[in-house]
Amino acid sequence: MPNTEIKLIATDLDGTLLRDDHLTLSPANREALTRAADAGIEVVVATGRSLAAVAPPVLELPFLRYFITCNGSITTDREGHILRAAPLPLPTTLEILDYLGGMKELVVQLYADQKMYITRTDWERREGIHLPAFHLKVLFSDSHVEKINLPYLLPKQKSEIKAWLAQRYGDRVRAVSTMECNLELTDRDGSKGAALGALCDSLHIPTEQAMALGDAGNDIGMLQTAGIGVAMSNAIPEVQAAADWITLSNEEDGVAHAIHSLLGI
C-alpha cells in the first residue's frame, strides 16, 4: 500500500538525483518523481546550485514549483520569484573576501542574485581551472549574496579557513563541503534544513510528512529536518549516519528505489 503520510519530497541534485556527469536524469528517476507528483506529493529541488545552473532535464519537469538553491540561502518558484532569502550580510562578505584575498592562488566563486561571479584573475585563467564562461557579471552593493564557494582547496587550506571562520564568526557563518576539495560558505540560516522547514510551514505541511534525499555535507540538516531522511549509498559517512534509511547510489537510480520502497509508488 502507498505511504499516504508523505506530502513533500525534497531531493538534492548532484550525487543524488543526477548521474555522475551532473546532467543526466535517468528515466527511472524521472518516472518515480512523476508518479509522486501525480499522487499529490509536492516535489522540491534542494541544491547547492543556483537556479540558473539547475540541469535542464530537471527544469523541464512540469510539476516542479519550488526550488531551494545555493544550499538553502534562497528559495524561489520556478519563475525565480524569491520566497525566502537568508543572504550573507554584505559587511561579512567583504571581510571574508578580504581574508581570502590574502591566500595565494585561491579560486573564489561568489554567488549573488542567482548568478556566479569570479575575479578577473580567475576569468583570465578560466580554461585552466574549468570555470564556465557565461557567468561573469558586475556585482552591485545591493545584491543578495547567497554563498561563497571555494572549489579547489588543499586540506590545509580548508582547515585554516574553517578555523578562522569559527574564531571570527562563531556559528554566524556556515561552512559545508559538497566534495572533498571544496568549502561553501553561507549565512547560518542559509541551510537546506532551515529552508525546507520554512517551505513546509508556508505550504502547511508538517516536516514529519516530508522526505528528503541527499549525499553530501550540505544535505545533513535537510535529512534531519524531514520526517524521513534518505542517504544515498554513495553518500559520505556523516550523511549516512544522519539518515533514517540508505538507498542505492545515484548511478543505480537510488531516488526511484527510495520512492518505491518507502512510499510504495
Side-chain angles (χ1 to χ4, degrees), residues 87-100 110 139-145 148 164-165 168-169 172-173 185 187:
L88 276 167
L90 188 58
T92 301
T93 301
L94 296 176
E95 189 174 52
I96 292 173
L97 292 177
D98 184 60
Y99 166 75
L100 296 174
L110 183 69
L139 182 62
F140 297 99
S141 61
D142 59 350
S143 295
H144 280 96
V145 178
I148 298 171
W164 180 82
L165 290 169
R168 181 69 183 85
Y169 302 108
R172 289 181 292 140
V173 174
L185 315 181
D187 184 79

Side-chain angles (χ1 to χ4, degrees), residues 234-255:
N234 53 283
I236 62 174
E238 294 87 345
V239 175
Q240 294 193 13
D244 301 300
W245 201 75
I246 298 175
T247 187
L248 301 176
S249 76
N250 63 311
E251 287 287 311
E252 301 171 299
D253 300 323
V255 170

Side-chain angles (χ1 to χ4, degrees), residues 59-97:
L59 284 174
E60 290 167 4
L61 296 173
F63 47 81
L64 291 179
R65 298 197 298 162
Y66 305 108
F67 294 80
I68 295 170
T69 57
C70 291
N71 288 339
S73 291
I74 190 161
T75 303
T76 65
D77 61 20
R78 66 181 304 122
E79 286 77 35
H81 300 127
I82 297 175
L83 307 177
R84 175 188 181 271
L88 276 167
L90 188 58
T92 301
T93 301
L94 296 176
E95 189 174 52
I96 292 173
L97 292 177

Side-chain angles (χ1 to χ4, degrees), residues 15 17 55 62 84 112 123 126 131 135 149 155 157 160 177 180 193 207 222 224 232 243 264-265:
L17 182 64
R84 175 188 181 271
W123 171 253
R126 62 193 180 278
L131 287 176
H135 280 306
N149 184 38
Q157 291 175 313
E160 289 178 357
S177 295
E180 188 174 351
T207 54
M222 177 173 71
Q224 293 173 330
M232 314 303 290
I265 54 178

Side-chain angles (χ1 to χ4, degrees), residues 197-225:
L199 181 60
C200 284
D201 285 345
S202 69
L203 297 176
H204 306 291
I205 296 174
T207 54
E208 293 80 10
Q209 293 184 315
M211 181 171 84
L213 304 100
D215 72 301
N218 61 338
D219 296 316
I220 291 175
M222 177 173 71
L223 268 58
Q224 293 173 330
T225 297

